[in-house]
Amino acid sequence: MKTQVVMAAAFASTLVVANPAAAQDRSGWPENFTVGTASQGGTYFAYGSGWANFVAESLGVSGGAEITGGPMQNMALVHTGDLQFGLTTMGPARESMDGNSPLAPGMKMDNVCAMFPMYETPFSVTALSSSGITSIADIPAGSTIGFGPAGSTSDTYFPRMMETLGVDFERRNGSWSDLGGQLQDGLIDVVAFAAGIPIPAVSQLEVQADVNIIEMTDAEAKTITDNYPVSEFIIPASTYQSLEKPSRVVSMWNFAMANCDLPESLVYEITKLTMENNDRMVSIHKASRNSVPQNYSKNNVLPWHPGAARWFNENGYAIEASMIK
């Protein structure tokens, strides 16, 4: 899939002089870096673009974000070294490492290392209020459901979840922004979102139309958590103006990752910068409230990059040597 560079921060020599990180060993550091995100209108794009600029400005290295197909493609691009960094969820990460990626069946993408925890991705369903759909059971047979970009976390898992819950549907792919527009125009019936909250496309959609953000019942949540690598999650009522009360769904953890061959000193400095400046990260996207070191234990899939592991171990978050690449 062709990717497109969408944002970059130019190298600034004054930052190199002013920033203490510049005095450290930079041998082997790339002249620039790129972060794989996902489609516009989704949280990965907003989070990844802002984070890339924060790193570039702070460390004085040219860098930016790139639109991709999401976690599955990011795993492939980081594994091959086409991208230095990327964002992924634990489910697609596991499938990719095991050689089960639909993008490259049989290729074990094991040159990808964890850097730091990002946030949980809730799986939530949105429909126009005018549709009368207020629950998953209400979705009429044969409805067209938008599942996000092909190969994304949503596209990988949400169709399976819907089938498990007995929903009969037609599948539609596209960027979150595009699918939100199609929902508003009546071209599709439902959008099954999987992204950090608040999802920009949902926030934009509810400004322009009356929508129902649909939660799972007790039985539905139990069925899905029993069958998929997810856990229950509560979307706070304050997340969207359309929510009158908290909404129970399921979620999957996201981690930032690096190509394992990148210099330890570079990944150490980026991990340190990100983990020690949560206020700045939250200003980039509210989902970053969970981008804190205490959540490092949510990674039970990817090996840790030595640079990231060094920062966590130095700060009291123990990572066993067997978990370090």
Side-chain angles (χ1 to χ4, degrees):
M1 183 180 299
K2 183 178 180 182
T3 55
Q4 174 185 0
V5 175
V6 297
M7 188 174 293
F11 179 88
S13 59
T14 54
L15 287 173
V16 177
V17 173
N19 199 298
Q24 302 204 8
D25 176 21
R26 292 191 169 213
S27 58
W29 283 29
E31 294 183 0
N32 53 68
F33 69 88
T34 308
V35 178
T37 59
S39 70
Q40 290 178 298
T43 304
Y44 266 25
F45 180 75
Y47 186 110
S49 298
W51 175 61
N53 283 340
F54 176 37
V55 170
E57 293 166 2
S58 300
L59 299 185
V61 179
S62 177
E66 190 165 299
I67 292 175
T68 70
M72 282 287 190
Q73 190 183 18
N74 291 342
M75 285 289 297
L77 293 170
V78 172
H79 169 75
T80 59
D82 290 314
L83 296 180
Q84 291 87 356
F85 305 104
L87 313 179
T88 193
T89 38
M90 293 291 94
R94 167 59 69 192
E95 294 197 24
S96 298
M97 289 192 67
D98 290 345
N100 296 322
S101 170
L103 300 179
M107 177 187 289
K108 293 190 175 183
M109 301 177 189
D110 55 4
N111 199 35
V112 178
C113 287
M115 289 184 66
F116 61 83
M118 293 167 54
Y119 53 80
E120 292 176 87
T121 287
F123 289 73
S124 60
V125 175
T126 300
L128 295 181
S129 298
S130 59
S131 70
I133 298 172
T134 61
S135 69
I136 292 175
D138 285 342
I139 299 174
S143 293
T144 301
I145 301 179
F147 289 105
S152 65
T153 300
S154 180
D155 184 52
T156 302
Y157 288 94
F158 230 148
R160 302 179 199 172
M161 293 179 184
M162 287 295 193
E163 289 171 354
T164 299
L165 295 175
V167 179
D168 176 67
F169 58 87
E170 296 293 329
R171 190 171 184 159
R172 181 75 58 84
N173 291 115
S175 72
W176 293 127
S177 295
D178 180 49
L179 292 174
Q182 290 187 48
L183 181 66
Q184 185 179 353
D185 293 340
L187 301 176
I188 59 177
D189 302 292
V190 171
V191 181
F193 288 99
I197 56 174
I199 302 168
V202 176
S203 298
Q204 180 64 31
L205 179 63
E206 65 176 354
V207 169
Q208 300 170 334
D210 293 330
V211 301
N212 293 334
I213 297 172
I214 298 165
E215 70 174 350
M216 290 183 175
T217 65
D218 289 345
E220 288 168 345
K222 185 177 189 308
T223 296
I224 297 305
T225 55
D226 284 349
N227 287 279
Y228 297 94
V230 295
S231 57
E232 284 200 30
F233 182 88
I234 301 298
I235 300 177
S238 59
T239 305
Y240 301 111
Q241 64 185 31
S242 301
L243 282 178
E244 297 180 354
K245 61 183 180 67
S247 177
R248 186 245 321 284
V249 293
V250 296
S251 70
M252 185 180 291
W253 268 93
N254 300 266
F255 268 70
M257 57 183 170
N259 180 277
C260 296
D261 296 330
L262 286 172
E264 178 179 331
S265 59
L266 171 62
V267 176
Y268 175 87
E269 292 298 339
I270 294 177
T271 304
K272 173 182 172 68
L273 179 71
T274 308
M275 292 291 91
E276 295 182 5
N277 291 279
N278 188 249
D279 288 348
R280 176 64 184 272
M281 291 298 297
V282 171
S283 74
I284 292 169
H285 196 284
K286 291 180 181 178
S288 298
R289 285 188 290 257
N290 289 311
S291 300
V292 293
Q294 292 88 336
N295 288 325
Y296 83 108
S297 61
K298 306 299 183 182
N299 170 36
N300 58 1
V301 174
L302 294 171
W304 287 90
H305 192 286
R310 177 157 67 94
W311 184 88
F312 280 100
N313 281 321
E314 287 178 356
N315 288 276
Y317 304 98
I319 296 176
E320 299 292 333
S322 60
M323 287 294 296
I324 303 171
K325 183 74 171 183

